[in-house]
Structure formats: structure tokens, C-alpha cells
């Protein structure tokens, strides 16, 4: 059997960032022990459904999972190891913000079993951090990177680019500073305006402007060049890593593998008895908690995906990877011939333009193609 990945969603944050449209919520008080117990109950329910399968990774995301009680993290890791066959080198990641309060808990999370931390740095400059609504300053970000580097064998951090007024020279300098501190894995996200966020209101009001698409593309190209200088390669559109330091958990998504998602709003994909089941849980933390305590789970929607939907998802995810897709795997996961998943004329056009290429049996997006994926994929997929 293929290995599983486990995602654990902690929906609470100390504050809501103005750009964020994730399922995150601010509460004055959170009963961490009660929410932790509910997460354990959902995990047990899913384990009973899928049986004892190999487990390759666990990812604590959010929200801000570094606000979780370390004991709750330890209990969930212990349960996962007991319920599944954990890989000897299982990857266990926890997202954290580099505030002094959260950084002080990093050793406790390591003791709980976390062996990889992902820090939401977002910037190493003071003005952008204030603009982005972050709770830490540049000095705290640097201190957290240095501390995490000393505690965890594996470290990743996030940065946001294409910010208002950002120049290529300033971005390159910021990148070099960050990569010099922690050059294993970098997740890079272009600042976009998401509906329903505070930034959406401010942007519509004209409070700020974002760089033009051409300028943002130059910043993206500059990122790859600077990361290469530190030995990091772009293995996915937004992610760079040294060889062997890639996020195994996220690779499970992009390779269209099975994963369980527990917690408020979590999604999951499971291939059971030949059917791909897509499930979603209630987004509201309090309602999620009430349903789990009453029913053992908070699944609000579960559907069996059609073969075409499965093929579409596999392509949408897989073409983000530098390794591309193996049509044989897409066929195996979707039960649909590859020729029926793409528009043949559009595929030939993308190949002719150099946006896609065959590398042996694999179909990959070129560097030019990855810049155009959002526009290209809807036309390519049937």
C-alpha cells in the first residue's frame, strides 16, 4: 500500500494577518486540552476506516500550531505512531511564527517528536513586517531562525514577495540574508489579494498598489538565481530545497497521494476500494469541536470523485513540480487513459511554445511554463 500523510489543522492565531484567507480564527481563550482530545478522536476514527497503513509524514498547520500545548502535539504523534506503521525516518513538521513567545516553545515541540519546523518569517525588513501585520520584528525572526537551526535537524521558512514598492535589488539582498541563516528549504509566496481579507478592502480603496506582473516575474526569476547560489533548487513552483530537504509531506499532495486531514476545515483524499473519497470538515472551530465530541468526527461533506476529476487534480498538482507528472501514475490514480485527460491540440501547442516538455516518460513544465501555469492549465485540461 502507498504511504499516507497526516495533516493536523490548528485553527487559532494570535491575530489575523491582513492578507490571509486561511481558516484561521482569533480567540481570547482556547481550551487546548479539549481541542487536542477532539483531534485525537478524529484521528482514531479515520484510522479505523483506512486500517493500519504506512505513514510517511505528519504536518501540524493552521492557523498557528505553535500555539498548541506541546503535550497535545506529543499525544497526537504518539497516537499516529500507534495507529499506523510510521516510517523509520518519518517527517513531522510544525508551523511556527518567530515571535519570542512561540520560539520559547520550540524545544518542547522537539521533545514532543517534531523533527522539522517551518517558520513564517515572511520578511526580514521592518516596514514590510508592519505592512503584513506580523507580530514579530526582524530581530525576532533572525533569532528564531538561529534557534530553530540549533534545535531541529530540518528547517524551512516562508517569505512573501511582490510587496508594494519592492525592488529587485532589495529583494535579492533580503533573500541572501535569509538564506545565509537557514539554507535548507524556502517557501516563497507572491502577495496576492484574496477576497474577504482586510487587504482586499484596502486595495479596492487604493491604499496601496502591487508590482506589475512583469516586475513580479522578475522577482520570481531573481529568487531562483539567489537560491541556486546557496544550493537550493526549485522543486515546486513556490518551493526551493537542497537535495534531500524537500518537504515529503507536501510532495504527497503534489504527487496526488493519499492523505488524512483532521481539525476544523481540514480536507482529505483517500483511495479506498478503487474510489477516491474527498472529504471536508466543518470550518468553525467551536462547531467542529461540538460535532467531534458528539459524533466522533466533523465531516460535513464527502464525495466520490469521478475519474475525470481525479485526473484533473493529479495534473493540476503534479505539473507544479519540477519532476512533472508520470502519465502512467495519473492513469493508475484516476482510472482514466491519459489521452482523455488533456486537450491534444493544446498539449501540442504548449510543447511547441516550450512551456511543456517531455523528459523521458514524464511531462514537465519548463521554467517559462511554470510562470504561466495558472493561465495554461485550464486550457490544457479537458
Amino acid at each position: 500500500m502507498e504511504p499516507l500523510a497526516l495533516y493536523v489543522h490548528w485553527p487559532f492565531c494570535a491575530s489575523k494577518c491582513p492578507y490571509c484567507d486561511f481558516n484561521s480564527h482569533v480567540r481570547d481563550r482556547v481550551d487546548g486540552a479539549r481541542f487536542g482530545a477532539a483531534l485525537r478522536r478524529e484521528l482514531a476514527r479515520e484510522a479505523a476506516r483506512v486500517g493500519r497503513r504506512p505513514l510517511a509524514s505528519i504536518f501540524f498547520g493552521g492557523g498557528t500550531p505553535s500555539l498548541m500545548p506541546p503535550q497535545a502535539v506529543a499525544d497526537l504523534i504518539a497516537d499516529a505512531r500507534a495507529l499506523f506503521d510510521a516510517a523509520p525516518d518519518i517527517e513531522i513538521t510544525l508551523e511556527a511564527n518567530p515571535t519570542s513567545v512561540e520560539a520559547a516553545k520550540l524545544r518542547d515541540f522537539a521533545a514532543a517528536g517534531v523533527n522539522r519546523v517551518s517558520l513564517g518569517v515572511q520578511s526580514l525588513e521592518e516596514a514590510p513586517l508592519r505592512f503584513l501585520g506580523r507580530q514579530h520584528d526582524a530581530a525576532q525572526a533572525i533569532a528564531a531562525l538561529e534557534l530553530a537551526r540549533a534545535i531541529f535537524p530540518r528547517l524551512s521558512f516562508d517569505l512573501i514577495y511582490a510587496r508594494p514598492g519592492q525592488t529587485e535589488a532589495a529583494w535579492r539582498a533580503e533573500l541572501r540574508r535569509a538564506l545565509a541563516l537557514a539554507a535548507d528549504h524556502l517557501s516563497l509566496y507572491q502577495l496576492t489579494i484574496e477576497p474577504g481579507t482586510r487587504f482586499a478592502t484596502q486595495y479596492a480603496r487604493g491604499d496601496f498598489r502591487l508590482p506589475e506582473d512583469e516586475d513580479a516575474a522578475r522577482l520570481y526569476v531573481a529568487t531562483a538565481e539567489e537560491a541556486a547560489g546557496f544550493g537550493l533548487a526549485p522543486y515546486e513552483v513556490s518551493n526551493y530545497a537542497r537535495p534531500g530537504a524537500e518537504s515529503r509531506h507536501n510532495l504527497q499532495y503534489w504527487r496526488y497521494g493519499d492523505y488524512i486531514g483532521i481539525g476544523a476545515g481540514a480536507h482529505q483524499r483517500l483511495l479506498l476500494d478503487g474510489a477516491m473519497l474527498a472529504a471536508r470538515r466543518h470550518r468553525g472551530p467551536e462547531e467542529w469541536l461540538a460535532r467531534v465530541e458528539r459524533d466522533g468526527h466533523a465531516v460535513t461533506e464527502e464525495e466520490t470523485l469521478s475519474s475525470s476529476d481525479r485526473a484533473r487534480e493529479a495534473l493540476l498538482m503534479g505539473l507544479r513540480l519540477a519532476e512533472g507528472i508520470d502519465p502512467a501514475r495519473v492513469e493508475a490514480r484516476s482510472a482514466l487513459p491519459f489521452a482523455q485527460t488533456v486537450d491534444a491540440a493544446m498539449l501540442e501547442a504548449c510543447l511547441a511554445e516550450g512551456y511543456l516538455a517531455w523528459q523521458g516518460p514524464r511531462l514537465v513544465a519548463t521554467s517559462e511554463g511554470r510562470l504561466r501555469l495558472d493561465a495554461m492549465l485550464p486550457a490544457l485540461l479537458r
Side-chain angles (χ1 to χ4, degrees):
M1 290 184 292
E2 287 198 3
L4 286 168
L6 169 63
Y7 175 77
V8 181
H9 190 75
W10 186 258
F12 301 110
C13 287
S15 64
K16 185 77 171 180
C17 294
Y19 55 84
C20 178
D21 68 339
F22 292 170
N23 186 36
S24 59
H25 306 264
V26 178
R27 299 287 187 268
D28 290 334
R29 295 184 62 186
V30 175
D31 189 336
R34 189 177 170 195
F35 273 89
L39 286 166
R40 296 177 70 185
R41 189 170 180 190
E42 266 206 328
L43 176 58
R45 187 252 188 182
E46 291 302 326
R49 294 180 71 203
V50 304
R52 191 171 187 87
R53 289 181 55 177
L55 181 66
S57 64
I58 305 172
F59 194 103
F60 292 87
T64 308
S66 50
L67 297 176
M68 291 180 71
Q71 186 58 53
V73 173
D75 290 341
L76 282 160
I77 292 172
D79 285 358
R81 287 183 174 276
L83 293 166
F84 302 104
D85 291 326
D89 60 346
I90 185 171
E91 175 188 273
I92 305 177
T93 303
L94 182 134
E95 292 181 332
N97 286 324
T99 65
S100 56
V101 172
E102 292 171 62
K105 297 166 66 177
L106 291 180
R107 294 190 188 279
D108 293 332
F109 289 124
V114 173
N115 55 25
R116 181 177 181 269
V117 70
S118 178
L119 288 176
V121 172
Q122 314 310 1
S123 176
L124 289 178
E125 304 294 333
E126 299 296 351
L129 285 171
R130 291 193 297 272
F131 170 73
L132 294 169
R134 304 301 289 167
Q135 296 292 300
H136 63 274
D137 57 27
Q140 287 176 316
I142 292 169
L145 284 168
E146 292 174 337
L147 179 61
R149 174 86 287 156
I151 296 173
F152 295 94
R154 299 179 61 201
L155 168 64
S156 177
F157 64 100
D158 299 349
L159 292 176
I160 293 176
Y161 78 105
R163 308 183 301 249
Q166 188 175 41
T167 67
E168 182 180 332
W171 177 230
R172 285 182 181 272
E174 186 177 354
L175 269 175
R176 290 188 200 114
R177 288 180 64 202
L179 289 167
L181 287 165
D184 284 348
H185 189 285
L186 164 66
S187 295
L188 175 73
Y189 302 105
Q190 181 176 343
L191 181 59
T192 55
I193 305 302
E194 303 295 342
T197 63
R198 196 189 331 156
F199 269 0
T201 302
Q202 294 173 340
Y203 186 76
R205 219 165 42 206
D207 291 354
F208 64 88
R209 295 178 59 189
L210 296 180
E212 299 295 331
D213 289 345
E214 296 81 1
D215 295 326
R218 280 193 288 271
L219 295 174
Y220 181 83
V221 171
T223 301
E225 293 174 354
E226 294 298 333
F230 288 85
L232 280 72
Y235 72 101
E236 190 269 346
V237 169
S238 300
N239 288 271
Y240 303 74
R242 290 186 185 274
E246 299 88 355
S247 169
R248 298 175 210 158
H249 184 87
N250 287 336
L251 281 172
Q252 184 83 353
Y253 299 151
W254 296 320
R255 290 171 175 166
Y256 207 50
D258 285 3
Y259 63 93
I260 292 171
I262 61 172
H267 294 224
Q268 69 185 32
R269 295 288 187 275
L270 289 171
L271 189 60
L272 296 176
D273 299 323
M276 179 65 76
L277 302 180
R280 177 179 302 150
R281 286 164 166 74
H282 199 287
R283 289 174 58 86
E286 289 77 18
E287 179 62 21
W288 170 86
L289 179 64
R291 291 185 183 213
V292 174
E293 290 181 336
R294 184 188 68 218
D295 304 324
H297 69 91
V299 173
T300 57
E301 179 183 340
E302 184 169 80
E303 62 174 323
T304 301
L305 297 181
S306 68
S307 291
S308 59
D309 284 341
R310 289 153 64 176
R312 175 181 292 270
E313 288 189 343
L315 285 164
L316 285 170
M317 300 295 278
L319 283 175
R320 295 181 60 86
L321 289 168
E323 70 183 27
I325 59 165
D326 180 351
R329 175 167 175 79
V330 175
E331 291 181 351
R333 296 291 286 177
S334 67
L336 191 70
F338 184 71
Q340 296 182 27
T341 67
V342 296
D343 183 285
M346 182 56 64
L347 175 59
E348 289 304 315
C350 290
L351 290 166
E353 291 292 333
Y355 300 149
L356 296 175
W358 287 105
Q359 293 183 0
R362 306 187 72 87
L363 181 66
V364 303
T366 64
S367 58
E368 287 295 315
R370 284 197 291 273
L371 288 171
R372 297 167 172 81
L373 271 181
D374 289 344
M376 182 172 62
L377 285 173
L380 179 65
L381 301 177
R382 281 190 167 180

